[in-house]
Amino acid sequence: MTDDIFQLAEPVEDMLTGMKDRMPPESVTLNMSDVFKILSDHTRVKILYALTLSELCVADIAELAGVSQSAVSHQLRILRNSKLVTWKKSGKQVFYALQSEGVRILIKKSMEHSAG
């Protein structure tokens, strides 16, 4: 076996120039990294998945996620601050929902990728 396959190839400058123009700005990749950090918590993933099903109150999210209401409230604060979740008040109750269809797609695609 030769070591040739482990030699680094010279960059193809024309191809790289075009690719560099298509790379997102540093601020965007940093924000993406922050989203993935937030998604690395098991409880937050369960909460977000529950919210792909419907708008829910804290008690319902806690029941579906199998954690305490105080744990859900703590995680929802993090999810709200990161703009993944929004809320609305209806009388005395607060209902939570995903911030956008983009968040729903991210969670659904992650689930598809993880399940198969």
Side-chain angles (χ1 to χ4, degrees), residues 79-80 83-87 97-104:
L79 293 168
R80 279 192 324 265
K83 296 182 172 63
L84 293 173
V85 167
T86 188
W87 62 277
L98 298 178
Q99 179 73 31
S100 68
E101 186 61 23
V103 176
R104 181 180 317 284

Side-chain angles (χ1 to χ4, degrees), residues 41-52 56 61-62 65 67 71-76 79 85 96 98:
D41 181 88
H42 184 238
T43 301
R44 288 193 288 262
V45 169
K46 290 194 291 185
I47 291 169
L48 288 167
Y49 190 82
L51 292 174
T52 67
L56 298 165
I61 295 169
V67 296
V72 168
S73 293
H74 173 73
Q75 297 302 336
L76 284 169
L79 293 168
V85 167
Y96 292 88
L98 298 178

Side-chain angles (χ1 to χ4, degrees), residues 12-28:
V12 181
E13 292 300 322
D14 293 340
M15 182 177 72
L16 287 180
T17 301
M19 288 180 176
K20 283 181 183 178
D21 293 341
R22 294 179 15 214
M23 291 294 290
E26 193 77 10
S27 61
V28 171

Side-chain angles (χ1 to χ4, degrees), residues 3-115:
D3 291 329
D4 294 341
I5 60 172
F6 297 107
Q7 297 299 316
L8 296 177
E10 291 296 318
V12 181
E13 292 300 322
D14 293 340
M15 182 177 72
L16 287 180
T17 301
M19 288 180 176
K20 283 181 183 178
D21 293 341
R22 294 179 15 214
M23 291 294 290
E26 193 77 10
S27 61
V28 171
T29 56
L30 286 170
N31 287 340
M32 287 174 62
S33 174
D34 289 342
V35 168
F36 284 112
K37 286 177 193 171
I38 289 163
L39 293 176
S40 70
D41 181 88
H42 184 238
T43 301
R44 288 193 288 262
V45 169
K46 290 194 291 185
I47 291 169
L48 288 167
Y49 190 82
L51 292 174
T52 67
L53 305 173
S54 178
E55 287 185 354
L56 298 165
C57 67
V58 170
D60 293 340
I61 295 169
E63 180 69 26
L64 289 171
V67 296
S68 71
Q69 289 185 30
S70 68
V72 168
S73 293
H74 173 73
Q75 297 302 336
L76 284 169
R77 181 180 52 78
I78 293 167
L79 293 168
R80 279 192 324 265
N81 290 343
S82 64
K83 296 182 172 63
L84 293 173
V85 167
T86 188
W87 62 277
K88 69 178 179 181
K89 198 164 188 173
S90 179
K92 291 185 178 185
Q93 267 203 306
V94 177
F95 289 90
Y96 292 88
L98 298 178
Q99 179 73 31
S100 68
E101 186 61 23
V103 176
R104 181 180 317 284
I105 291 167
L106 178 63
I107 298 304
K108 290 288 191 176
K109 291 293 181 184
S110 296
M111 182 63 70
E112 289 171 17
H113 178 75
S114 299

